[in-house]
Amino acid sequence: MATAAVLLSPAFAGEAAAAPRERLSLDEGWRFHRGDPPGVDGQLDYDVRPVVQDNEDGKAADARPQQASRVRDDDHAVLRPWILPTANALIADPAHRHARPPGNPGGELPFVQRDYDDSTWPRVDLPHDWAIEGPFLVDGPYGGMGRLPSWGVGWYRRTLDLPASDRGRRLALEIDGAMSYATVWCNGQLLGGWPYGYSSWQLDLSDCLRYGERNQLAIRLDNPPDSARWYPGGGLYRHVWLRKTAPLHVGHWGVRIETPQVSAASAAVRLRTTLRNESADAARIEASTALYLLDAQDQVTRVAAASGTTHQMTLAAGSTEVLDETLTVAKPQLWGPPPTQQPHRYVAVTTVRADGRVVDEVRTPFGIRDIRFDPQRGLQVNGEHIPLRGVNNHHDLGALGAAFDAQAAERQLRLLQQMGANAVRMSHNPPAPELLELTDRMGLLVVDEIFDSWRMKKTPLDFHLVFDDWHEPDLRAMLRRDRNHPSIILWSIGNEVGEQYSGEEGAAIARSLRGIVRQEDTRPVTAAMNYAKPDMPLPAELDVIGLNYQGEGIRDTPEFEGTERIRTPPMYAAFHQRFPDKAILSTETASTLSSRGVYLFPVTAETSAPVRDGRGGDSLARQASAYELHAVDFGASPDKVFAALDAHPFVAGEFVWTGFDYLGEPTPYYSSRSSYSGIIDLAGFAKDRYYLYQSRWRPQWPMVHLLPHWTWPGREGQVTPVHVFTSGDEAELFVNGVSQGRKRKAAGEYRLRWDQVVYQPGELRVQAWREGKPWASEVVHTAGPAARLQLQLESQASAGGPLAFVDAQVLDSEGRPVPTARMPIRFRVEGPATLVATDNGDPTDMTAFPSATREAFGGRVLAIVRRQAHPHAASQSPIRLHAEADGLAPAELLLPIQPTASTGATP
């Protein structure tokens, strides 16, 4: 992970005060503008882009990637030669590094000038997603990218006031993520940039700054259309930092930690620390590292768990030295996934001294654990078999968009853990660094993924355009930033890449990427393959076999005979036979499609079926049935996936597509805004499928769940199937007290079905049993007419941060939820807070997220309120959220005060 100076415990207080390293937040005080100044006319293009002839919005997600068209125009001046040198520190071979040409492109433009008046530009704070406020693009071929205007040019400007005392220090701009094709000017001088919007990167500002004066940063982003298969967001959507160090310092991402030998008695901790001398003179220095346990509050304990040697050396001017040492920790507290293990963490404190004084001090959190993939038993963590119960997640945070927010991300992760998930695959790009800090702290296992495409394209303007130039620096940036995170168990070098089809050519790329990983880290490498078969070259290059949908079979039923799409029988056994020495996991499973609270009839008798009109789908309403039996054509229901996994116990586990609905890729209805594949909808409300996974992934948790709801005016006397998800082994269903029979799960059965129940209003009740004893029960009542609103604070998600997540529900006069309610609900905030967004989880809802009025969907709406921090909470005015709807009794909720402001300190 990123090494950074932070406040240390009192044990280090004396030294920390003298340490010159600072990492300061630059999130506040930016000015923002969409579009270029007049007269730019392409002179700031990174490179010449292909002309997009045909929009392919709605193309099947597993369509075969295409050979890219290469475009070069020597008469068109582009910024590429000036941007490429930014990557030099992440290119291993000096012969492949880039020389900066003379000149200062864009230096004459008004937007980069120190004296340009940007006071009319809107003020924004970071992280900032310029497109999330909408409006949605209701018409046109924009469903794949979420129907939000994320593409185009945007400028950010910010001043930097630096003291004269900073002269002689090294100052760097750190950007955690900028979407995309970023270019940076400092005081009118073009410094560099980075194309890939998901990478973290830095620029040295030292020589362009004016110390003791005001300085001007200008950042231009150029987000292409037709560049993603999901919503990418736009802008400076992650944090931005100013790092200050002495010329003698630990390098950027300069501490590498591994735990090659771990036992209950002791652990070997190998540290490789990169020291740099960026001064004009040789320097005599001392460097040492000590390891400390972090307590439950992330505080450093006072007694070192291990201390290294004090290394003394002379560093020549402009040189770099790597220290390599191994420390031993006795009786280590191990990092592992709950509930059977705990995610204990340590911190390595590296101190650099020159002339008897501290010139740098870096703190690097890490964990001690032993991770092994076994071909027969799957994943072993600290000697314990841990089945992977994972999900895939894209990077957006629903109504908050791509702008990263740690509190919203933690809300997502906690909902997943409560379901029983223990792992997340970062689909299909490096995440915000703070997300990995959360997975470390919460004990979630991670597959960290770098690319969705290599040289072959999935969309006309995606990453394939820059793969040749940037795959090495992008991959090394992810590895160096993230490799100290104990939660990461696998590196993924690609997702469903087109090179699966290209034989040895694709295998050679995989071999090269795996070689880069081997230079930077020891963890195994995988790639997610939806086409490659055991006898093809690419799988042989991987340490762990990652299969997308192939394990349970793709389009393997008779109705798909003759299709031109991928069609594959179940492949777990074939891969296991071909690679008996490699572990296998499902990097994507299921892709079941559903809309929360929408139940369509008739209900299929099949275990798994595709979505079609009259068969789990309604193309006019653009909704999919919540009976959770229907999937994308290449996917499967959870039931089919579970059966395939149980039949092949050597498989390490699964990553379900997806944990949450996400913006874009709204298969099968591309006129919608967001996906249907989430176990949890875009607002964060659980679909019925959540409880099916919970029944499997938390088998010791007494639970039972009924579906559908039981409010069906007009269906009296009609067959209305009832399904039950339970961690018990049998259950009995009652309608108005009359037993509908007691059923027991058979082998390979994961739900209990009463498919001939006739609807009559009243009470639906289920009693689950386990080993003959009562286990859990649930009751659902028919709701009356909507009568009032209720507001309920998600207390866990709303603690410890400025955001308050509030669930607004429509109730009848008896306080029962009304699952069919669809009326508009109006919200109003009173006090020092702002209503940030509303959502209802409906993929078809085109109301802009900032709207204070939102129609209920399934009787619910989410309101997100941002509370202003106040140092004296007791004296602050109260914050009240009001909700109103025509004809209903209103609701009011008093929100807790946010007591302290964020400090901008390094996370």
Side-chain angles (χ1 to χ4, degrees), residues 292-294 298 335 343-347 365-367 437 440-441 486:
Y292 296 83
L293 183 68
L294 290 171
D298 274 356
W335 186 97
H344 298 291
R345 292 183 302 141
Y346 288 79
V347 62
F366 70 101
E437 291 167 9
D440 287 349
R441 197 173 74 233

Side-chain angles (χ1 to χ4, degrees), residues 1 431 436 448 478-485 488 491:
M1 66 175 292
L436 294 173
D448 207 357
M478 179 187 80
L479 295 166
R480 292 183 187 179
R481 189 197 71 172
D482 296 348
R483 61 191 172 191
N484 294 326
H485 286 284
I488 295 174
W491 304 111

Side-chain angles (χ1 to χ4, degrees), residues 1-8 23 253-259 269-271 289-295 297-300 335 343-350 361-369 433-434 436-441 480-488 523 906-907:
M1 66 175 292
T3 54
V6 297
L7 297 177
L8 299 177
R23 193 171 187 243
W253 300 328
V255 179
R256 174 179 174 180
I257 303 177
E258 295 167 358
T259 55
V269 180
R270 185 182 181 188
L271 300 105
T289 299
L291 310 181
Y292 296 83
L293 183 68
L294 290 171
D295 66 18
Q297 287 72 46
D298 274 356
Q299 297 299 307
V300 181
W335 186 97
H344 298 291
R345 292 183 302 141
Y346 288 79
V347 62
V349 179
T350 302
E361 191 165 67
V362 169
R363 163 176 155 153
T364 309
F366 70 101
I368 298 175
R369 82 285 187 275
E434 294 85 0
L436 294 173
E437 291 167 9
L438 287 170
T439 58
D440 287 349
R441 197 173 74 233
R480 292 183 187 179
R481 189 197 71 172
D482 296 348
R483 61 191 172 191
N484 294 326
H485 286 284
S487 55
I488 295 174
R523 271 163 285 204
T906 301

Side-chain angles (χ1 to χ4, degrees), residues 90 179 194 196-200 230 237-238 253 425-431 446-454 458 463-464 466-467 470-482 488 490-497 509-510 512-514 516-517 525-528 542:
L90 295 161
M179 191 64 68
W194 206 277
Y196 193 35
Y198 297 104
S199 283
S200 297
W230 57 86
Y237 72 107
R238 293 180 184 166
W253 300 328
R425 174 174 171 238
M426 303 299 175
S427 310
H428 303 291
N429 46 259
V446 170
V447 176
D448 207 357
E449 189 158 74
I450 182 64
F451 300 130
D452 187 50
S453 59
W454 295 347
K458 295 182 180 178
F463 184 77
H464 80 276
V466 297
F467 178 84
W470 287 91
H471 68 272
E472 180 185 357
D474 278 313
L475 180 53
R476 289 191 194 276
M478 179 187 80
L479 295 166
R480 292 183 187 179
R481 189 197 71 172
D482 296 348
I488 295 174
L490 267 175
W491 304 111
S492 174
I493 55 176
N495 172 67
E496 297 180 355
V497 295
I509 296 176
S512 173
L513 295 174
R514 181 180 177 275
I516 293 172
V517 176
V525 173
T526 191
L542 305 175

Side-chain angles (χ1 to χ4, degrees), residues 260-311:
Q261 295 176 319
V262 177
S263 70
S266 67
V269 180
R270 185 182 181 188
L271 300 105
R272 276 169 278 190
T273 305
T274 300
L275 302 175
R276 300 191 65 187
N277 180 3
E278 294 191 72
S279 73
D281 301 306
R284 183 72 178 167
I285 65 170
E286 295 179 350
S288 62
T289 299
L291 310 181
Y292 296 83
L293 183 68
L294 290 171
D295 66 18
Q297 287 72 46
D298 274 356
Q299 297 299 307
V300 181
T301 54
R302 292 180 175 271
V303 179
S307 297
T309 302
T310 298
H311 300 268

Side-chain angles (χ1 to χ4, degrees), residues 397-718:
L397 295 168
L400 299 176
F404 184 78
D405 184 276
Q407 190 182 351
E410 184 171 358
R411 173 184 183 244
Q412 288 192 342
L413 297 180
R414 289 201 181 280
L415 287 169
L416 293 171
Q417 277 192 321
Q418 289 163 10
M419 180 179 67
N422 64 7
V424 180
R425 174 174 171 238
M426 303 299 175
S427 310
H428 303 291
N429 46 259
E434 294 85 0
L435 186 58
L436 294 173
E437 291 167 9
L438 287 170
T439 58
D440 287 349
R441 197 173 74 233
M442 298 171 71
L444 285 158
L445 304 165
V446 170
V447 176
D448 207 357
E449 189 158 74
I450 182 64
F451 300 130
D452 187 50
S453 59
W454 295 347
R455 284 186 179 140
M456 298 182 75
K457 66 180 180 180
K458 295 182 180 178
T459 63
L461 302 179
D462 66 16
F463 184 77
H464 80 276
L465 294 176
V466 297
F467 178 84
D468 285 343
D469 284 339
W470 287 91
H471 68 272
E472 180 185 357
D474 278 313
L475 180 53
R476 289 191 194 276
M478 179 187 80
L479 295 166
R480 292 183 187 179
R481 189 197 71 172
D482 296 348
R483 61 191 172 191
N484 294 326
H485 286 284
S487 55
I488 295 174
I489 58 172
L490 267 175
W491 304 111
S492 174
I493 55 176
N495 172 67
E496 297 180 355
V497 295
E499 285 75 5
Q500 294 176 96
Y501 297 81
S502 64
E504 179 54 38
E505 180 183 349
I509 296 176
R511 192 179 310 123
S512 173
L513 295 174
R514 181 180 177 275
I516 293 172
V517 176
R518 279 292 151 269
Q519 294 170 14
E520 302 285 349
D521 192 64
T522 60
R523 271 163 285 204
V525 173
T526 191
M529 300 177 291
N530 66 333
Y531 174 77
K533 300 301 181 287
D535 59 348
M536 295 180 181
L538 194 148
E541 302 299 331
L542 305 175
D543 302 314
V544 173
I545 300 296
L547 301 179
N548 282 11
Y549 311 103
Q550 294 198 69
E552 59 267 26
I554 298 174
R555 296 185 180 91
D556 62 332
T557 55
E559 69 181 290
F560 290 109
E561 288 182 3
T563 181
E564 295 180 356
R565 301 293 185 200
I566 298 172
R567 191 161 189 258
T568 303
M571 295 298 292
Y572 285 138
F575 273 96
H576 189 52
Q577 182 177 6
R578 174 64 180 81
F579 299 105
D581 58 340
K582 295 187 179 186
I584 298 172
L585 62 86
S586 267
T587 37
E588 286 181 28
T589 62
S591 199
T592 306
L593 306 177
S594 63
S595 306
R596 178 181 54 83
V598 175
Y599 305 93
L600 302 179
F601 304 98
V603 175
T604 182
E606 299 171 276
T607 300
S608 180
V611 173
R612 300 288 187 270
D613 278 354
R615 191 179 171 202
D618 183 339
S619 60
L620 292 178
R622 289 175 284 142
Q623 303 291 3
S625 178
Y627 273 96
E628 312 293 13
L629 290 165
H630 297 270
V632 68
D633 284 7
F634 55 79
S637 69
D639 311 60
K640 182 180 177 181
V641 174
F642 295 161
L645 290 169
D646 287 348
H648 303 93
F650 55 82
V651 178
E654 67 171 318
F655 288 84
V656 180
W657 191 266
T658 51
F660 281 76
D661 280 343
Y662 54 95
L663 290 165
E665 204 174 25
T667 304
Y669 307 122
Y670 265 71
S671 55
S672 295
R673 67 174 194 189
S674 51
S675 76
Y676 297 79
S677 59
I679 299 171
I680 302 169
D681 74 17
L682 198 72
F685 299 144
K687 302 180 187 179
D688 292 284
R689 207 179 333 150
Y690 183 96
Y691 303 99
L692 180 54
Y693 283 101
Q694 189 178 68
S695 71
R696 178 174 173 87
W697 288 353
R698 298 184 68 182
Q700 302 307 317
W701 178 260
M703 59 78 61
V704 66
H705 177 74
L706 280 167
L707 67 140
H709 63 71
W710 211 238
T711 301
W712 294 103
R715 283 195 67 83
E716 291 82 1
Q718 297 184 46

